[in-house]
Amino acid sequence: MTALDFVVAIPARFDASRLPGKPLRLLGGDPLVLHVARRALAAGASEVWVAADDERIVQALAGSGVGVALTAKSHASGTDRLAECADIAGWTDDRIVVNLQGDEPFAPAAGIDAAAATLADSGAPMSTLAAAITDVADLFDPNVVKLVRGDDGHALYFSRAPVPWPRDAFSRDRSRLPEQGQWLRHIGIYGYRAGFLRRFAAMPPGRLEQIESLEQLRALEAGYRIAVALTPEPFPPGVDTPEDLVRAERHFQAARHG
């Protein structure tokens, strides 16, 4: 069987609000963004590109074997940055692109591959992954994005609110998840063809997107399908704060010695 041909693009913004200089923060002695790129290479991507907004990121990745596109600082989102990267890299419209966030140093290779395969198999213009929610606290946490998936495997909605809402069960007890039903946590990895990536970035923000602050709702509101697969392996938490970086370093050292 022929291996699926896809590229991975990693948006990297230097001035992250909660962790300035995040792409170049060291994890095990190497820049965080380099760890993410290595995960993409391990997934079998034919090309790995970092869409950077700062020359310091470009310099840090010199000689790494990873393509680097220096994109405009003015981009409002990682998707906008990747659309410019697609033009710099010269990807054709049918090229499969996986958008892997630059703060996911432990993203499983199988999950990256699954995002690409789900896009190719579904025929949808966009794909993503989800995982089961097992803790009721996650269901009520607005920082944990929930996803509702239809029987056809496509997303019905994304929300920061607890959806679907088990009316009868939660009218009695909200301290635990009901025994029946499945709630899904969205994993922020996306697959799309380069042509749709360019089209998506050119679309104005949608009303639902602005209400929930969830960019993927732009696609749903415009009538595009998003294919959803359950991740074949767990995605460990990403790095968003100094405390996350300390935890990640412990995880990295434990994995290296264990």
Side-chain angles (χ1 to χ4, degrees):
M1 184 174 62
T2 303
L4 181 63
D5 186 19
F6 66 95
V7 302
V8 172
I10 303 164
R13 186 168 66 92
F14 188 84
D15 291 324
S17 58
R18 288 192 282 180
L19 189 60
K22 179 164 64 171
L24 301 186
R25 293 294 186 111
L26 296 181
L27 176 62
D30 288 326
L32 184 68
V33 69
L34 182 56
H35 286 274
V36 181
R38 287 170 176 164
R39 301 309 298 165
L41 289 168
S46 58
E47 298 177 44
V48 176
W49 282 74
V50 173
D53 72 340
D54 194 289
E55 182 64 35
R56 285 168 287 186
I57 301 174
V58 177
Q59 294 173 0
L61 292 173
S64 66
V66 173
V68 186
L70 184 59
T71 58
K73 290 182 177 291
S74 58
H75 289 307
S77 70
T79 304
D80 296 337
R81 196 171 305 286
L82 293 194
E84 184 182 354
C85 179
D87 292 336
I88 293 172
W91 296 328
T92 59
D93 281 350
D94 64 349
R95 197 76 161 107
I96 294 177
V97 181
V98 173
N99 176 352
L100 177 62
Q101 301 303 310
D103 55 7
E104 296 275 2
F106 307 117
I112 299 169
D113 186 71
T118 300
L119 181 81
D121 294 343
S122 68
M126 192 167 174
S127 67
T128 194
L129 300 180
I133 290 176
T134 58
D135 186 341
V136 71
D138 287 340
L139 188 63
F140 284 93
D141 184 348
N143 294 312
V144 176
V145 177
K146 274 66 68 173
L147 180 159
V148 181
R149 184 174 67 159
D151 290 341
D152 61 358
H154 296 118
L156 297 176
Y157 194 65
F158 299 82
S159 182
R160 297 183 182 279
V163 292
W165 181 264
R167 185 195 65 176
D168 295 340
F170 276 176
S171 68
R172 298 187 298 268
D173 182 7
R174 298 184 187 179
S175 66
R176 59 188 178 89
L177 289 174
E179 293 181 2
Q180 294 184 340
Q182 183 185 51
W183 286 264
L184 296 176
R185 171 177 67 89
H186 179 226
I187 296 172
I189 184 172
Y190 300 97
Y192 15 57
R193 304 278 179 177
F196 181 75
L197 168 61
R198 294 180 175 104
R199 192 180 316 130
F200 181 78
M203 292 164 53
R207 179 179 58 88
L208 296 175
E209 172 188 359
Q210 294 179 75
I211 291 172
E212 294 258 20
S213 293
L214 296 174
E215 189 180 36
Q216 62 271 36
L217 287 173
R218 184 189 313 175
L220 290 187
E221 191 170 6
Y224 293 103
R225 296 178 302 153
I226 302 177
V228 181
L230 296 180
T231 180
E233 293 183 22
F235 273 67
V239 176
D240 201 38
T241 66
E243 293 76 20
D244 291 341
L245 189 60
V246 171
R247 172 191 46 75
E249 184 67 33
R250 288 198 300 263
H251 181 87
F252 177 81
Q253 295 300 336
R256 186 162 69 175
H257 294 102

